[in-house]
């Protein structure tokens, strides 16, 4: 059968592909150090699993509203009010099958053919692909280590055209780990409001920040920007619930309603009993989030020290998420070649920066144990030394 043209316009997710390859190699008995997919190595906290189990036992096994369990929508709205100072109600929230699905629903709901979406590079690899699948055009704005891989207000301003619909802001960032300061966020909000465009604020790494860095939601900076922001967030990273597939969007009611319509014809509701785990995640103790954050902080320190001690590699210190994004240009290799050879020769799995729009970098996730980090860094060091 002739496939739809849209399939050839996008490539399969390389983060998922490399993670799957590393897992398959491990299953074959190969000693792989995987720093590939951004997935916390911790199990989901016990109280969250218990709440889902209880819901399952109580027969929460039926269809629910496509928009999400009312109790979970309430709990998310409450979280956004308490943690982020955002005046949302349950009707401003849709529960989705993960952060990725949130963004996909949103793109389908708002993008019309030819609409432009501004995406600072390095970007999370699925953003441009989603824009393409929705019929829009990605306007990629390159940033560099000199600005901490952050888009400046001037760059944003310059990229705006009459066709601009959305600007995607992701702080803390995947893949760089950089966190925009409150002042930087304020300056970007001003440009968004003046240009009368909308901003998608991907806040999935909100809880994973270090050294006193502050994650500020752009929507909290006044009514005008609040009305022009759609927040995407989820449970995967903060609560180690990657496989549960539960995310959400929050924003103006008309936009949220449109995403509910789309979702009602695609996936319907998110797994009903799983949503009760998410309710427990929000309503019960947040100590587990802090414990995991502290573990990530130690791992970041170790991996960063080891990386920057390797002659030829350099990596700025990120304030958030669980990724390092070193520059590999001194090795003379482009990112794909680097990653293929590293996996082949040293059995270390990392993601080529080209997937994120930065071919002189690689992305390493340190959401893994210290012993794997030590071993992987020994191997990486050997690999880089053999190249320069
Ligand atoms: N968001 C994670 C990552 O960037 C998970 C993989 C994916 O969804 O692409 O590694």
């Amino acid at each position: 059968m002739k496939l739809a043209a849209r399939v050839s316009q996008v490539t399969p997710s390389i983060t998922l592909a490399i993670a799957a390859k590393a897992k398959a190699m491990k299953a074959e008995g190969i000693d792989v150090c995987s720093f590939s997919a951004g997935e916390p190595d911790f199990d989901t906290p016990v109280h969250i699993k218990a709440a889902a189990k209880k819901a399952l036992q109580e027969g929460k096994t039926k269809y629910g509203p496509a928009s999400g369990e009312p109790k979970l929508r309430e709990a998310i709205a409450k979280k956004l009010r308490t943690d982020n100072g955002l005046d949302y109600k349950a009707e401003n929230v849709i529960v989705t099958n993960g952060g990725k699905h949130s963004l996909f629903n949103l793109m389908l709901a708002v993008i019309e053919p030819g609409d432009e979406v501004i995406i600072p590079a390095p970007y999370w690899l699925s953003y441009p692909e989603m824009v393409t699948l929705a019929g829009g055009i990605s306007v990629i704005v390159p940033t560099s280590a000199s600005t901490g891989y952050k888009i400046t207000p001037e760059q944003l301003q310059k990229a705006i055209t009459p066709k601009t619909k959305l600007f995607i802001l992701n702080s803390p960032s995947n893949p760089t780990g950089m966190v925009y300061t409150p002042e930087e966020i304020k300056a970007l909000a001003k440009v968004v409001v003046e240009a009368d465009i909308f901003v998608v604020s991907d806040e999935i790494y909100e809880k994973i920040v270090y050294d006193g860095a502050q994650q500020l939601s752009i929507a909290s900076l006044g009514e005008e920007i609040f009305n022009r922001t759609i927040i995407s967030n989820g449970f995967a990273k903060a609560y180690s619930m990657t496989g549960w597939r539960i995310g959400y969007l929050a924003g103006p009611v008309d936009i949220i309603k449109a995403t509910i319509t789309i979702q009602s014809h695609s996936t319907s509701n998110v797994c009903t009993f799983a949503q009760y785990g998410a309710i427990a995640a929000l309503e019960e103790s947040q100590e587990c989030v802090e414990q995991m954050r502290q573990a990530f902080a130690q791992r970041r320190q170790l991996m960063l020290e080891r990386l920057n001690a390797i002659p030829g590699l350099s990596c700025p210190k990120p304030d958030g998420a669980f990724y390092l994004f070193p520059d590999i240009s001194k090795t003379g290799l482009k990112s794909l070649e680097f990653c293929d050879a590293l996996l082949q020769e040293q059995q270390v799995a990392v993601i080529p920066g080209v997937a994120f729009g930065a071919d002189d970098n690689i992305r390493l996730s340190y959401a893994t144990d210290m012993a794997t980090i030590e071993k992987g860094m020994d191997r990486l060091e050997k690999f880089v030394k053999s190249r320069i």
Side-chain angles (χ1 to χ4, degrees), residues 13-16 19 36-39 100 124-126 174-175 204-205 237 242 245 322-323 351 356 363 365:
S13 167
I14 200 165
T15 44
L16 297 185
S36 54
E39 175 164 48
K100 192 180 277 185
W124 180 50
L125 74 173
S126 293
N174 176 5
I204 189 82
Y205 295 97
K237 315 294 183 185
T242 48
R245 311 313 302 139
F322 36 60
Y323 305 109
I351 310 285
F356 309 104
R363 189 194 77 175
S365 160

Side-chain angles (χ1 to χ4, degrees), residues 62-69 95 97 263 267-272 275:
K62 304 293 182 195
Y63 291 135
S67 51
E69 287 294 296
V95 181
N97 286 283
Q263 182 156 295
T267 59
S268 305
N269 62 283
V270 172
C271 172
T272 303
Q275 292 187 61

Side-chain angles (χ1 to χ4, degrees), residues 218-240:
I218 192 166
S220 68
L221 294 171
E223 204 183 326
E224 287 179 308
I225 189 71
F226 179 72
N227 291 333
R228 287 177 177 79
T229 305
I230 305 103
I231 289 174
S232 178
N233 203 335
F235 294 82
K237 315 294 183 185
Y239 299 97
S240 200

Side-chain angles (χ1 to χ4, degrees), residues 66 259-268:
T259 62
I260 296 167
T261 301
I262 302 260
Q263 182 156 295
S264 75
H265 288 297
S266 55
T267 59
S268 305

